[in-house]
Amino acid sequence: MIETLGQHVLNAVQLGSVYALIALGYTMVYGILTMINFAHGDIFMVGAYLSLAGALFLLGLPYKLPPLMVFLGALTFSMTLTALLGVLIERLAYRPLRGAPRVSAVITALGVGLFLENFTLAMLGPEPRQFPALIPATVLPLGGLAVTPLQLLIILLAAAIMVMLDLLVRRTLLGMAMRAISYNRVLVPLMGVPADRVISLTFALGSAIAAAGGLMYGLAYPVLDPYMGIRIGWWAFIAAVVGGIGNIRGAMLGGFILGLVEIFTPVILPSSTYRDFVAFSLLLVLLIFRPTGLLGRPLFERV
């Protein structure tokens, strides 16, 4: 019984790590621009496909590379290109609307998401793509749990990314500029802070982290399709709201809570079809009693 419970918790931490990475993109953009980037789930989808392209290219080379090197190459490739995509989206779609009513940015974000979905559909077709197994599927017995190297890699890499991002926001000049702009986007540029550059870097960081989540998700659940970002994006958005949108640590906490919800719902309830019902119910209850999320969103800590 305890081993089974521990195995479910391990699986929830693995899935929650992916949700937390994607939720970080939502919370960073909201923190600095107070807008919901509804295209972020589709940016995650593009990152997953770019990871697949990078992995297939490296696996097709005439000389055989070690699996970890293929993984790192695909990760670097997808994070770099997805970061550029995030900057491009911010520059072309969102920057011209900064002075417009907030609903215009929301509609534009939905339009960008639909564009990414349909562009991928037109380029690659509707057939799901199989992600190659880059990491050996051996099982390591650990205290009664069956742990795979892939699970360890996902959890440790996600933890490293989250810690580095937290340190970047709290201990570097770039992070200080992000927090300053989130505090007052009008006055801070008058003090010499390049607001446009900082906002572009925020989009680049959030998109690159989403690409890392896409690679991890593709390895753990190895079927990609152009609409995969819709559901995953919504779950990550719920995670960001549950944790406290605008708060980086809140997004991480929300991601792990949603991972627990997704794994334990079919264990407790009769079917996995209740997952969305439970997740959205959790969101509604939380918004009633704590509208700012579990960790709130203090103004001076926004990103």
Side-chain angles (χ1 to χ4, degrees), residues 23-101:
L24 286 173
Y26 281 106
T27 210
M28 290 173 72
V29 170
Y30 182 83
I32 202 165
L33 288 178
T34 58
M35 67 163 277
I36 305 295
N37 181 15
F38 284 112
H40 195 64
D42 296 294
I43 293 174
F44 152 81
M45 176 271 295
V46 172
Y49 270 101
L50 289 173
S51 301
L52 173 64
L56 292 178
F57 173 78
L58 294 174
L59 290 173
L61 292 176
Y63 43 86
K64 186 175 176 60
L65 295 174
L68 186 58
M69 190 171 292
V70 176
F71 173 84
L72 292 176
L75 180 67
T76 305
F77 177 75
S78 63
M79 288 184 75
T80 303
L81 290 190
T82 311
L84 293 175
L85 174 65
V87 172
L88 190 65
I89 290 173
E90 187 276 330
R91 183 67 185 85
L92 297 181
Y94 298 147
R95 189 178 298 184
L97 296 175
R98 281 193 201 153

Side-chain angles (χ1 to χ4, degrees), residues 194-205:
D196 287 342
R197 194 183 308 166
V198 172
I199 291 171
S200 292
L201 286 173
T202 302
F203 271 84
L205 272 173

Side-chain angles (χ1 to χ4, degrees), residues 26 38 40-42 44-45 113-114 117 225-237 280:
Y26 281 106
F38 284 112
H40 195 64
D42 296 294
F44 152 81
M45 176 271 295
L114 288 172
E117 290 166 19
D225 70 77
Y227 299 112
M228 63 182 287
I230 298 175
R231 182 180 179 279
I232 303 299
W234 275 112
W235 274 67
F237 173 66
F280 282 97

